[in-house]
Amino acid sequence: GAVVSQHPSRVICKSGTSVKIECRSLDFQATTMFWYRQFPKQSLMLMATSNEGSKATYEQGVEKDKFLINHASLTLSTLTVTSAHPEDSSFYICSANGGTTNYEQYFGPGTRLTVT
Amino acid sequence: QKEVEQDPGPLSVPEGAIVSLNCTYSNSAFQYFMWYRQYSRKGPELLMYTYSSGNKEDGRFTAQVDKSSKYISLFIRDSQPSDSATYLCAFLFLGGTSYGKLTFGQGTILTVHP
């Protein structure tokens, strides 16, 4: 089946620094990738939708300048958390769409970000 | 009114029990109805999907959709400890600016004890 990887799986950074998270589709080309944020025992909240070669579309309330998304190729999207603060600590999950169906999204394993 | 409401649980059942997980929704434009399973600290995985009212069965899992009542359910028969996870209902509308975006329920934590 389709596999999506994320790197790193876990990262700890200091307040004020930037962190980049990679999302890769390993065996298919992803025309669209989605970035989610999930707090403990809560559901996934969509942050943004990215299409290869174009600017990401952010959900209401998500700061574009803080969460930079780049979808440079059909297999790679990156999320950069700039000037991270402790409240940015969360579980970040990406998903990719681009298989043979329009409805199926394949999720990565997630990245646990802790900002100290 | 929230677009999706999911019974929050948590649910704790003995091995072998039948589990019922439920969601209601308000957006009649939703076209696909899905259930995802998420193990702790992992990404969600798609369990089942359907796009029409009625039942769809896959092994021990049955997905049920009632579009007239805007209600979906997931039944798990002969539950196993390995079924212990968070179950998320999800809805998809393929149109307009929302193309491809999933709307998730809050999730129900299920524990199946031996």
Side-chain angles (χ1 to χ4, degrees), chain A:
Chain A
V3 179
V4 175
S5 70
Q6 277 184 246
H7 179 80
S9 58
R10 182 184 292 264
V11 58
I12 301 172
C13 70
K14 291 188 176 180
S15 188
T17 62
S18 295
V19 173
K20 180 185 284 188
I21 302 169
E22 292 185 349
C23 176
R24 293 182 185 273
S25 55
L26 297 185
D27 49 4
F28 67 100
Q29 292 186 326
T31 52
T32 304
M33 286 185 169
F34 302 87
W35 285 95
Y36 296 84
R37 184 172 179 174
Q38 187 176 34
F39 290 105
K41 299 189 178 180
Q42 294 190 25
S43 190
L44 285 78
M45 298 299 296
L46 180 65
M47 298 174 67
T49 304
S50 74
N51 292 292
E52 186 264 338
S54 61
K55 287 185 179 179
T57 302
Y58 290 81
E59 295 299 300
Q60 194 172 11
V62 177
E63 298 175 60
K64 301 178 185 181
D65 295 332
K66 180 164 187 63
F67 299 100
L68 301 178
I69 291 172
N70 183 282
H71 193 160
S73 77
L74 286 172
T75 59
L76 174 65
S77 176
T78 59
L79 167 68
T80 301
V81 183
T82 63
S83 187
H85 289 111
E87 56 265 31
D88 298 325
S89 298
S90 188
F91 194 50
Y92 292 88
I93 306 175
C94 71
S95 70
N97 174 287
T100 56
T101 66
N102 287 327
Y103 58 82
E104 198 151 5
Q105 285 185 31
Y106 303 96
F107 284 81
T111 296
R112 171 76 56 192
L113 170 64
T114 303
V115 185
T116 60

